[in-house]
Amino acid sequence: MQLNIKKNQSIKLLNNLHNLTEEKSYYKKHRIRFPADLLNEKIKKVNLSLTELLSKIDIYEGFDNGEFEKTIFDYVKYLDDLNDSLLQIMKALTPFKNDYEDIKDVDKWLKEYNSEKYTMFKDATFADNDFIRISSNNIKHGNVRITTLELVNHKYKKVRGFYFSDILDENELFGPKPEIHKHYKNTMTAFSFNHFLLRTAGVVALNFYWLNKIIFKKEKAKINNDHNCIMHSFFSKFKDIEEEFFPDEYRVKYAKIVQNHTHITIMYQRYLKNEKFDDIKSIMPTFKFNGNKKSNEKIPYLSLIYSKKF
């Protein structure tokens, strides 16, 4: 997947939504906002949240009064809202019939009345978006907190990150929420800020690419000149993030972003080089405290350190 964004122009999906023909304006009957406005509103919120998160990462030193945690939570929730809006847009572009049942759940509605396009979109994007959806559900309905850590990787580079921490057993053992952070070589895992951010950029681009391809097929989008292009602003924020990750993340797709004087190119791919990713040098977590008592914490990647000693 590759997405190109020229300066002062929008992406194909937004261009097509801006230029909807009258015969495709089913959104009025569905009582959904004009799809281009809906998408613009959601990406603006994600973009503002991203700006806030990047500013806090730069100055964060491991001590949090709740603001840093809230900034991560907000970014994830806005990404999840953006994903939900894409399904609303698919519904808005589904031909309207008076005998449609009023199903509030947009997933169920699309399964019933636009199953072919809904299934195509889900097949192309669902697995990649899973970490956003599960993280957001745990933020909204669970008891997860943010624990940060710093790791010295196989290239002796300091890499900072975090994980969604929760109670793992009745002895108040805390650690990465298994539902969010998958096991890797018999160890718990976490998100590096670098990979987490580039991964979110990748899935946003993936979603836009596939929704446009499925809904508009091979239609040529009319160029929409936008001198305050929100899409260019959003994706350009990722261009300077280093490809220094936690060990397991090198095998997980992320956005490879290249910018020149005319446009930005977003490619969604895995890290291509083969290196000794597991040869990490040290780990330094920031522990949570329970009153005056330090909580027990299961530390990600610790077994990779121990395995080198035996």
Side-chain angles (χ1 to χ4, degrees):
M1 190 285 303
Q2 181 171 310
L3 195 68
N4 296 310
I5 307 174
K6 292 185 178 180
K7 286 184 178 180
N8 302 327
Q9 292 182 10
S10 195
I11 60 172
K12 289 182 180 179
L13 174 62
L14 200 50
N15 287 337
N16 280 320
L17 293 175
H18 271 297
N19 294 292
L20 277 180
T21 57
E22 188 62 31
E23 61 266 24
K24 285 189 176 180
S25 298
Y26 311 115
Y27 68 92
K28 299 173 185 178
K29 291 284 189 179
H30 288 296
R31 298 181 183 180
I32 295 173
R33 288 185 60 186
F34 181 54
D37 290 344
L38 176 59
L39 183 56
N40 255 324
E41 176 194 334
K42 297 298 183 181
I43 195 65
K44 281 180 181 178
K45 289 182 178 179
V46 173
N47 191 40
L48 287 171
S49 181
L50 172 64
T51 302
E52 182 75 9
L53 178 56
L54 288 171
S55 69
K56 283 185 165 57
I57 289 173
D58 287 341
I59 62 173
Y60 184 70
E61 295 181 350
F63 300 97
D64 184 22
N65 61 3
E67 288 186 13
F68 187 64
E69 179 175 83
K70 182 180 183 301
T71 304
I72 295 174
F73 284 177
D74 286 346
Y75 181 60
V76 172
K77 287 188 288 186
Y78 284 134
L79 284 168
D80 197 35
D81 287 346
L82 174 63
N83 288 347
D84 288 343
S85 74
L86 299 181
L87 297 182
Q88 288 286 346
I89 289 169
M90 182 177 287
K91 179 180 178 180
L93 298 182
T94 301
F96 181 83
K97 294 181 181 179
N98 288 320
D99 60 350
Y100 280 160
E101 187 180 347
D102 185 21
I103 302 173
K104 302 299 181 185
D105 187 312
V106 68
D107 279 275
K108 292 180 180 178
W109 192 95
L110 288 168
K111 284 179 185 177
E112 184 69 25
Y113 300 117
N114 198 350
S115 61
E116 182 180 358
K117 289 181 179 178
Y118 172 80
T119 301
M120 288 172 64
F121 183 67
K122 284 292 185 178
D123 286 348
T125 64
F126 185 80
D128 297 88
N129 284 272
D130 215 26
F131 77 108
I132 295 174
R133 179 183 57 82
I134 295 172
S135 298
S136 181
N137 285 341
N138 275 276
I139 291 168
K140 294 173 183 176
H141 309 297
N143 298 302
V144 292
R145 303 292 304 275
I146 294 296
T147 298
T148 58
L149 72 160
E150 183 177 276
L151 179 152
V152 177
N153 73 2
H154 62 293
K155 293 186 283 187
Y156 291 90
K157 294 283 187 74
K158 288 184 179 180
V159 184
R160 294 190 298 157
F162 71 98
Y163 55 89
F164 292 95
S165 177
D166 203 357
I167 299 175
L168 302 180
D169 64 22
E170 65 276 8
N171 297 316
E172 290 190 282
L173 174 66
F174 285 75
K177 182 80 173 178
E179 188 182 6
I180 301 171
H181 302 284
K182 308 305 181 186
H183 276 72
Y184 170 74
K185 295 189 177 179
N186 202 34
T187 186
M188 307 290 281
T189 61
F191 295 141
S192 67
F193 287 119
N194 290 349
H195 190 276
F196 173 76
L197 290 169
L198 290 174
R199 188 179 178 187
T200 61
V203 297
V204 170
L206 181 78
N207 294 342
F208 291 167
Y209 172 86
W210 277 107
L211 187 63
N212 182 72
K213 187 171 184 178
I214 290 167
I215 292 177
F216 296 104
K217 298 182 180 178
K218 294 183 179 180
E219 292 183 34
K220 189 173 182 179
K222 295 180 182 178
I223 294 174
N224 176 45
N225 291 314
D226 182 357
H227 295 287
N228 296 301
C229 180
I230 188 66
M231 295 299 178
H232 192 279
S233 172
F234 174 69
F235 285 108
S236 65
K237 288 181 171 65
F238 299 93
K239 64 183 176 61
D240 295 324
I241 295 177
E242 292 184 308
E243 294 178 321
E244 301 290 348
F245 307 143
F246 290 168
D248 57 301
E249 294 178 319
Y250 289 96
R251 295 162 177 82
V252 179
K253 289 182 179 179
Y254 63 96
K256 175 81 172 178
I257 297 177
V258 179
Q259 183 172 15
N260 60 33
H261 65 284
T262 61
H263 65 277
I264 293 176
T265 298
I266 303 106
M267 295 165 285
Y268 186 53
Q269 61 185 41
R270 293 181 179 86
Y271 191 78
L272 299 178
K273 298 177 183 178
N274 188 18
E275 300 168 4
K276 295 181 179 180
F277 307 122
D278 298 344
D279 188 21
I280 57 176
K281 311 306 177 184
S282 67
I283 305 166
M284 180 63 70
T286 303
F287 292 104
K288 298 288 184 185
F289 287 82
N290 180 10
N292 295 320
K293 181 182 176 183
K294 195 172 185 179
S295 298
N296 295 320
E297 193 88 12
K298 194 164 187 178
I299 304 172
Y301 306 110
L302 198 58
S303 64
L304 297 181
I305 297 284
Y306 287 155
S307 66
K308 294 191 295 183
K309 297 179 179 180
F310 300 99

